[in-house]
Structure formats: structure tokens, C-alpha cells
PDB file of all heavy atoms in Angstrom:
ATOM      1  N   GLU Q  26      88.677 214.970  85.069  1.00 95.00           N
ATOM      2  CA  GLU Q  26      89.328 216.118  84.448  1.00 95.00           C
ATOM      3  C   GLU Q  26      90.578 215.653  83.708  1.00 95.00           C
ATOM      4  O   GLU Q  26      91.353 214.840  84.215  1.00 95.00           O
ATOM      5  CB  GLU Q  26      89.689 217.137  85.515  1.00 95.00           C
ATOM      6  CG  GLU Q  26      90.064 218.506  84.982  1.00 95.00           C
ATOM      7  CD  GLU Q  26      90.170 219.533  86.098  1.00 95.00           C
ATOM      8  OE1 GLU Q  26      89.513 219.371  87.140  1.00 95.00           O
ATOM      9  OE2 GLU Q  26      90.927 220.508  85.902  1.00 95.00           O
ATOM     10  N   ALA Q  27      90.786 216.159  82.513  1.00 94.00           N
ATOM     11  CA  ALA Q  27      91.884 215.689  81.671  1.00 94.00           C
ATOM     12  C   ALA Q  27      93.234 216.125  82.213  1.00 94.00           C
ATOM     13  O   ALA Q  27      93.402 217.246  82.711  1.00 94.00           O
ATOM     14  CB  ALA Q  27      91.698 216.230  80.248  1.00 94.00           C
ATOM     15  N   ALA Q  28      94.204 215.212  82.118  1.00 96.00           N
ATOM     16  CA  ALA Q  28      95.592 215.497  82.488  1.00 96.00           C
ATOM     17  C   ALA Q  28      96.461 214.417  81.871  1.00 96.00           C
ATOM     18  O   ALA Q  28      96.024 213.286  81.672  1.00 96.00           O
ATOM     19  CB  ALA Q  28      95.774 215.534  83.999  1.00 96.00           C
ATOM     20  N   GLU Q  29      97.697 214.781  81.564  1.00 96.00           N
ATOM     21  CA  GLU Q  29      98.641 213.796  81.048  1.00 96.00           C
ATOM     22  C   GLU Q  29      98.993 212.789  82.154  1.00 96.00           C
ATOM     23  O   GLU Q  29      98.905 213.114  83.339  1.00 96.00           O
ATOM     24  CB  GLU Q  29      99.915 214.493  80.562  1.00 96.00           C
ATOM     25  CG  GLU Q  29      99.716 215.361  79.336  1.00 96.00           C
ATOM     26  CD  GLU Q  29      99.327 214.538  78.115  1.00 96.00           C
ATOM     27  OE1 GLU Q  29      99.944 213.474  77.911  1.00 96.00           O
ATOM     28  OE2 GLU Q  29      98.406 214.956  77.396  1.00 96.00           O
ATOM     29  N   PRO Q  30      99.381 211.568  81.771  1.00 97.00           N
ATOM     30  CA  PRO Q  30      99.790 210.592  82.793  1.00 97.00           C
ATOM     31  C   PRO Q  30     100.907 211.145  83.678  1.00 97.00           C
ATOM     32  O   PRO Q  30     101.757 211.919  83.232  1.00 97.00           O
ATOM     33  CB  PRO Q  30     100.279 209.401  81.960  1.00 97.00           C
ATOM     34  CG  PRO Q  30      99.528 209.513  80.670  1.00 97.00           C
ATOM     35  CD  PRO Q  30      99.405 210.991  80.410  1.00 97.00           C
ATOM     36  N   PHE Q  31     100.891 210.722  84.927  1.00 98.00           N
ATOM     37  CA  PHE Q  31     101.861 211.198  85.906  1.00 98.00           C
ATOM     38  C   PHE Q  31     102.972 210.161  86.099  1.00 98.00           C
ATOM     39  O   PHE Q  31     102.812 208.981  85.786  1.00 98.00           O
ATOM     40  CB  PHE Q  31     101.167 211.488  87.234  1.00 98.00           C
ATOM     41  CG  PHE Q  31     100.245 212.674  87.177  1.00 98.00           C
ATOM     42  CD1 PHE Q  31      98.943 212.540  86.710  1.00 98.00           C
ATOM     43  CD2 PHE Q  31     100.676 213.927  87.567  1.00 98.00           C
ATOM     44  CE1 PHE Q  31      98.090 213.630  86.640  1.00 98.00           C
ATOM     45  CE2 PHE Q  31      99.833 215.029  87.508  1.00 98.00           C
ATOM     46  CZ  PHE Q  31      98.539 214.876  87.035  1.00 98.00           C
ATOM     47  N   ASP Q  32     104.093 210.630  86.634  1.00 98.00           N
ATOM     48  CA  ASP Q  32     105.221 209.731  86.887  1.00 98.00           C
ATOM     49  C   ASP Q  32     105.013 208.908  88.149  1.00 98.00           C
ATOM     50  O   ASP Q  32     105.402 207.739  88.221  1.00 98.00           O
ATOM     51  CB  ASP Q  32     106.519 210.538  87.013  1.00 98.00           C
ATOM     52  CG  ASP Q  32     106.835 211.312  85.751  1.00 98.00           C
ATOM     53  OD1 ASP Q  32     106.868 210.690  84.677  1.00 98.00           O
ATOM     54  OD2 ASP Q  32     107.019 212.541  85.839  1.00 98.00           O
ATOM     55  N   CYS Q  33     104.418 209.525  89.165  1.00 98.00           N
ATOM     56  CA  CYS Q  33     104.174 208.835  90.432  1.00 98.00           C
ATOM     57  C   CYS Q  33     102.819 209.260  90.977  1.00 98.00           C
ATOM     58  O   CYS Q  33     102.534 210.461  91.076  1.00 98.00           O
ATOM     59  CB  CYS Q  33     105.266 209.143  91.451  1.00 98.00           C
ATOM     60  SG  CYS Q  33     105.016 208.317  93.049  1.00 98.00           S
ATOM     61  N   ILE Q  34     102.002 208.277  91.321  1.00 98.00           N
ATOM     62  CA  ILE Q  34     100.704 208.537  91.941  1.00 98.00           C
ATOM     63  C   ILE Q  34     100.776 208.080  93.391  1.00 98.00           C
ATOM     64  O   ILE Q  34     101.018 206.902  93.672  1.00 98.00           O
ATOM     65  CB  ILE Q  34      99.570 207.804  91.200  1.00 98.00           C
ATOM     66  CG1 ILE Q  34      99.438 208.356  89.778  1.00 98.00           C
ATOM     67  CG2 ILE Q  34      98.260 207.940  91.959  1.00 98.00           C
ATOM     68  CD1 ILE Q  34      98.352 207.705  88.955  1.00 98.00           C
ATOM     69  N   ILE Q  35     100.615 209.018  94.318  1.00 98.00           N
ATOM     70  CA  ILE Q  35     100.617 208.718  95.747  1.00 98.00           C
ATOM     71  C   ILE Q  35      99.176 208.578  96.203  1.00 98.00           C
ATOM     72  O   ILE Q  35      98.384 209.525  96.106  1.00 98.00           O
ATOM     73  CB  ILE Q  35     101.332 209.820  96.543  1.00 98.00           C
ATOM     74  CG1 ILE Q  35     102.804 209.919  96.124  1.00 98.00           C
ATOM     75  CG2 ILE Q  35     101.228 209.545  98.044  1.00 98.00           C
ATOM     76  CD1 ILE Q  35     103.572 211.034  96.820  1.00 98.00           C
ATOM     77  N   LEU Q  36      98.821 207.390  96.688  1.00 97.00           N
ATOM     78  CA  LEU Q  36      97.471 207.122  97.156  1.00 97.00           C
ATOM     79  C   LEU Q  36      97.389 207.387  98.653  1.00 97.00           C
ATOM     80  O   LEU Q  36      98.075 206.739  99.443  1.00 97.00           O
ATOM     81  CB  LEU Q  36      97.082 205.672  96.882  1.00 97.00           C
ATOM     82  CG  LEU Q  36      96.886 205.257  95.423  1.00 97.00           C
ATOM     83  CD1 LEU Q  36      96.530 203.783  95.347  1.00 97.00           C
ATOM     84  CD2 LEU Q  36      95.803 206.095  94.761  1.00 97.00           C
ATOM     85  N   ALA Q  37      96.552 208.325  99.046  1.00 95.00           N
ATOM     86  CA  ALA Q  37      96.409 208.692 100.454  1.00 95.00           C
ATOM     87  C   ALA Q  37      94.928 208.826 100.782  1.00 95.00           C
ATOM     88  O   ALA Q  37      94.464 209.881 101.207  1.00 95.00           O
ATOM     89  CB  ALA Q  37      97.153 209.987 100.754  1.00 95.00           C
ATOM     90  N   VAL Q  38      94.190 207.728 100.566  1.00 93.00           N
ATOM     91  CA  VAL Q  38      92.756 207.702 100.825  1.00 93.00           C
ATOM     92  C   VAL Q  38      92.447 206.575 101.797  1.00 93.00           C
ATOM     93  O   VAL Q  38      93.289 205.713 102.057  1.00 93.00           O
ATOM     94  CB  VAL Q  38      91.955 207.501  99.528  1.00 93.00           C
ATOM     95  CG1 VAL Q  38      92.166 208.677  98.580  1.00 93.00           C
ATOM     96  CG2 VAL Q  38      92.334 206.186  98.840  1.00 93.00           C
ATOM     97  N   LYS Q  39      91.247 206.542 102.315  1.00 90.00           N
ATOM     98  CA  LYS Q  39      90.809 205.425 103.143  1.00 90.00           C
ATOM     99  C   LYS Q  39      90.567 204.203 102.257  1.00 90.00           C
ATOM    100  O   LYS Q  39      90.134 204.328 101.110  1.00 90.00           O
ATOM    101  CB  LYS Q  39      89.531 205.783 103.902  1.00 90.00           C
ATOM    102  CG  LYS Q  39      89.725 206.886 104.937  1.00 90.00           C
ATOM    103  CD  LYS Q  39      90.605 206.441 106.091  1.00 90.00           C
ATOM    104  CE  LYS Q  39      90.643 207.491 107.191  1.00 90.00           C
ATOM    105  NZ  LYS Q  39      91.490 207.078 108.338  1.00 90.00           N
ATOM    106  N   ALA Q  40      90.809 203.026 102.815  1.00 91.00           N
ATOM    107  CA  ALA Q  40      90.739 201.801 102.033  1.00 91.00           C
ATOM    108  C   ALA Q  40      89.353 201.558 101.456  1.00 91.00           C
ATOM    109  O   ALA Q  40      89.221 201.000 100.353  1.00 91.00           O
ATOM    110  CB  ALA Q  40      91.157 200.614 102.895  1.00 91.00           C
ATOM    111  N   TYR Q  41      88.297 201.981 102.161  1.00 90.00           N
ATOM    112  CA  TYR Q  41      86.944 201.724 101.663  1.00 90.00           C
ATOM    113  C   TYR Q  41      86.610 202.549 100.423  1.00 90.00           C
ATOM    114  O   TYR Q  41      85.624 202.287  99.744  1.00 90.00           O
ATOM    115  CB  TYR Q  41      85.893 201.938 102.755  1.00 90.00           C
ATOM    116  CG  TYR Q  41      86.076 203.178 103.605  1.00 90.00           C
ATOM    117  CD1 TYR Q  41      85.761 204.446 103.124  1.00 90.00           C
ATOM    118  CD2 TYR Q  41      86.572 203.079 104.904  1.00 90.00           C
ATOM    119  CE1 TYR Q  41      85.924 205.568 103.898  1.00 90.00           C
ATOM    120  CE2 TYR Q  41      86.743 204.210 105.701  1.00 90.00           C
ATOM    121  CZ  TYR Q  41      86.417 205.444 105.203  1.00 90.00           C
ATOM    122  OH  TYR Q  41      86.592 206.571 105.971  1.00 90.00           O
ATOM    123  N   HIS Q  42      87.426 203.558 100.095  1.00 91.00           N
ATOM    124  CA  HIS Q  42      87.211 204.333  98.862  1.00 91.00           C
ATOM    125  C   HIS Q  42      87.876 203.682  97.643  1.00 91.00           C
ATOM    126  O   HIS Q  42      87.545 204.022  96.504  1.00 91.00           O
ATOM    127  CB  HIS Q  42      87.776 205.752  99.016  1.00 91.00           C
ATOM    128  CG  HIS Q  42      87.021 206.617  99.964  1.00 91.00           C
ATOM    129  ND1 HIS Q  42      85.655 206.763  99.911  1.00 91.00           N
ATOM    130  CD2 HIS Q  42      87.448 207.390 100.997  1.00 91.00           C
ATOM    131  CE1 HIS Q  42      85.266 207.600 100.868  1.00 91.00           C
ATOM    132  NE2 HIS Q  42      86.329 207.980 101.536  1.00 91.00           N
ATOM    133  N   LEU Q  43      88.822 202.785  97.877  1.00 91.00           N
ATOM    134  CA  LEU Q  43      89.678 202.301  96.801  1.00 91.00           C
ATOM    135  C   LEU Q  43      88.938 201.578  95.676  1.00 91.00           C
ATOM    136  O   LEU Q  43      89.225 201.834  94.500  1.00 91.00           O
ATOM    137  CB  LEU Q  43      90.785 201.416  97.376  1.00 91.00           C
ATOM    138  CG  LEU Q  43      91.960 201.111  96.446  1.00 91.00           C
ATOM    139  CD1 LEU Q  43      92.617 202.398  95.965  1.00 91.00           C
ATOM    140  CD2 LEU Q  43      92.982 200.241  97.176  1.00 91.00           C
ATOM    141  N   PRO Q  44      87.994 200.660  95.950  1.00 89.00           N
ATOM    142  CA  PRO Q  44      87.342 199.955  94.841  1.00 89.00           C
ATOM    143  C   PRO Q  44      86.677 200.872  93.822  1.00 89.00           C
ATOM    144  O   PRO Q  44      86.773 200.649  92.609  1.00 89.00           O
ATOM    145  CB  PRO Q  44      86.317 199.059  95.558  1.00 89.00           C
ATOM    146  CG  PRO Q  44      86.901 198.830  96.908  1.00 89.00           C
ATOM    147  CD  PRO Q  44      87.572 200.132  97.264  1.00 89.00           C
ATOM    148  N   LEU Q  45      86.010 201.923  94.293  1.00 90.00           N
ATOM    149  CA  LEU Q  45      85.358 202.858  93.379  1.00 90.00           C
ATOM    150  C   LEU Q  45      86.344 203.831  92.747  1.00 90.00           C
ATOM    151  O   LEU Q  45      86.085 204.378  91.668  1.00 90.00           O
ATOM    152  CB  LEU Q  45      84.265 203.637  94.119  1.00 90.00           C
ATOM    153  CG  LEU Q  45      83.058 202.823  94.609  1.00 90.00           C
ATOM    154  CD1 LEU Q  45      82.100 203.709  95.382  1.00 90.00           C
ATOM    155  CD2 LEU Q  45      82.345 202.155  93.441  1.00 90.00           C
ATOM    156  N   LEU Q  46      87.474 204.027  93.400  1.00 93.00           N
ATOM    157  CA  LEU Q  46      88.461 204.996  92.938  1.00 93.00           C
ATOM    158  C   LEU Q  46      89.322 204.460  91.797  1.00 93.00           C
ATOM    159  O   LEU Q  46      89.727 205.226  90.910  1.00 93.00           O
ATOM    160  CB  LEU Q  46      89.360 205.390  94.113  1.00 93.00           C
ATOM    161  CG  LEU Q  46      90.539 206.312  93.831  1.00 93.00           C
ATOM    162  CD1 LEU Q  46      90.048 207.672  93.350  1.00 93.00           C
ATOM    163  CD2 LEU Q  46      91.397 206.466  95.078  1.00 93.00           C
ATOM    164  N   GLN Q  47      89.596 203.164  91.790  1.00 94.00           N
ATOM    165  CA  GLN Q  47      90.552 202.604  90.833  1.00 94.00           C
ATOM    166  C   GLN Q  47      90.208 202.921  89.369  1.00 94.00           C
ATOM    167  O   GLN Q  47      91.104 203.329  88.616  1.00 94.00           O
ATOM    168  CB  GLN Q  47      90.688 201.095  91.050  1.00 94.00           C
ATOM    169  CG  GLN Q  47      91.464 200.762  92.309  1.00 94.00           C
ATOM    170  CD  GLN Q  47      91.574 199.276  92.582  1.00 94.00           C
ATOM    171  OE1 GLN Q  47      92.550 198.796  93.157  1.00 94.00           O
ATOM    172  NE2 GLN Q  47      90.558 198.522  92.193  1.00 94.00           N
ATOM    173  N   PRO Q  48      88.967 202.795  88.930  1.00 93.00           N
ATOM    174  CA  PRO Q  48      88.675 203.147  87.536  1.00 93.00           C
ATOM    175  C   PRO Q  48      88.953 204.607  87.207  1.00 93.00           C
ATOM    176  O   PRO Q  48      89.348 204.936  86.082  1.00 93.00           O
ATOM    177  CB  PRO Q  48      87.180 202.820  87.392  1.00 93.00           C
ATOM    178  CG  PRO Q  48      86.894 201.851  88.484  1.00 93.00           C
ATOM    179  CD  PRO Q  48      87.787 202.227  89.615  1.00 93.00           C
ATOM    180  N   ASP Q  49      88.764 205.493  88.187  1.00 93.00           N
ATOM    181  CA  ASP Q  49      88.995 206.923  87.962  1.00 93.00           C
ATOM    182  C   ASP Q  49      90.467 207.260  87.795  1.00 93.00           C
ATOM    183  O   ASP Q  49      90.810 208.312  87.242  1.00 93.00           O
ATOM    184  CB  ASP Q  49      88.419 207.740  89.127  1.00 93.00           C
ATOM    185  CG  ASP Q  49      86.903 207.663  89.208  1.00 93.00           C
ATOM    186  OD1 ASP Q  49      86.274 207.559  88.138  1.00 93.00           O
ATOM    187  OD2 ASP Q  49      86.369 207.698  90.324  1.00 93.00           O
ATOM    188  N   LEU Q  50      91.351 206.382  88.279  1.00 96.00           N
ATOM    189  CA  LEU Q  50      92.790 206.642  88.185  1.00 96.00           C
ATOM    190  C   LEU Q  50      93.365 206.266  86.824  1.00 96.00           C
ATOM    191  O   LEU Q  50      94.422 206.771  86.443  1.00 96.00           O
ATOM    192  CB  LEU Q  50      93.535 205.864  89.274  1.00 96.00           C
ATOM    193  CG  LEU Q  50      93.316 206.287  90.715  1.00 96.00           C
ATOM    194  CD1 LEU Q  50      94.129 205.400  91.649  1.00 96.00           C
ATOM    195  CD2 LEU Q  50      93.689 207.742  90.913  1.00 96.00           C
ATOM    196  N   ALA Q  51      92.679 205.372  86.129  1.00 94.00           N
ATOM    197  CA  ALA Q  51      93.232 204.809  84.894  1.00 94.00           C
ATOM    198  C   ALA Q  51      93.710 205.865  83.890  1.00 94.00           C
ATOM    199  O   ALA Q  51      94.792 205.703  83.295  1.00 94.00           O
ATOM    200  CB  ALA Q  51      92.214 203.873  84.247  1.00 94.00           C
ATOM    201  N   PRO Q  52      92.984 206.972  83.652  1.00 95.00           N
ATOM    202  CA  PRO Q  52      93.457 207.949  82.651  1.00 95.00           C
ATOM    203  C   PRO Q  52      94.770 208.635  83.023  1.00 95.00           C
ATOM    204  O   PRO Q  52      95.433 209.201  82.147  1.00 95.00           O
ATOM    205  CB  PRO Q  52      92.314 208.977  82.594  1.00 95.00           C
ATOM    206  CG  PRO Q  52      91.121 208.271  83.137  1.00 95.00           C
ATOM    207  CD  PRO Q  52      91.653 207.337  84.170  1.00 95.00           C
ATOM    208  N   TYR Q  53      95.153 208.586  84.291  1.00 97.00           N
ATOM    209  CA  TYR Q  53      96.339 209.300  84.746  1.00 97.00           C
ATOM    210  C   TYR Q  53      97.560 208.383  84.857  1.00 97.00           C
ATOM    211  O   TYR Q  53      98.624 208.810  85.312  1.00 97.00           O
ATOM    212  CB  TYR Q  53      96.070 209.956  86.098  1.00 97.00           C
ATOM    213  CG  TYR Q  53      94.808 210.788  86.103  1.00 97.00           C
ATOM    214  CD1 TYR Q  53      93.736 210.467  86.935  1.00 97.00           C
ATOM    215  CD2 TYR Q  53      94.661 211.876  85.247  1.00 97.00           C
ATOM    216  CE1 TYR Q  53      92.572 211.214  86.922  1.00 97.00           C
ATOM    217  CE2 TYR Q  53      93.502 212.623  85.225  1.00 97.00           C
ATOM    218  CZ  TYR Q  53      92.452 212.296  86.069  1.00 97.00           C
ATOM    219  OH  TYR Q  53      91.297 213.038  86.043  1.00 97.00           O
ATOM    220  N   ILE Q  54      97.398 207.139  84.427  1.00 97.00           N
ATOM    221  CA  ILE Q  54      98.466 206.152  84.550  1.00 97.00           C
ATOM    222  C   ILE Q  54      99.018 205.821  83.166  1.00 97.00           C
ATOM    223  O   ILE Q  54      98.282 205.378  82.277  1.00 97.00           O
ATOM    224  CB  ILE Q  54      97.961 204.879  85.250  1.00 97.00           C
ATOM    225  CG1 ILE Q  54      97.566 205.220  86.688  1.00 97.00           C
ATOM    226  CG2 ILE Q  54      99.020 203.782  85.238  1.00 97.00           C
ATOM    227  CD1 ILE Q  54      96.989 204.064  87.468  1.00 97.00           C
TER     228      ILE Q  54
END
């Protein structure tokens, strides 16, 4: 979902989700 980049991204997920999650974060950084 579209959104402007954020000032701070707080990651609060389980570690096993992180590899698949990282590409999804790129548009918000």
C-alpha cells in the first residue's frame, strides 16, 4: 500500500519473518 517514507520504522516482528519482509519495507524508507 502506498505511503510516503517514514522518519522512523520500528520493527516488532519475529526474526523468521525478516528475510521476506525486508523487500516490502523498501518503499517506506
Side-chain angles (χ1 to χ4, degrees):
E26 194 170 333
E29 292 295 316
F31 291 84
D32 299 307
C33 180
I34 296 180
I35 298 177
L36 291 179
V38 297
K39 294 293 187 180
Y41 44 76
H42 290 310
L43 195 57
L45 294 177
L46 175 64
Q47 287 178 149
D49 294 327
L50 292 180
Y53 309 118
I54 295 177

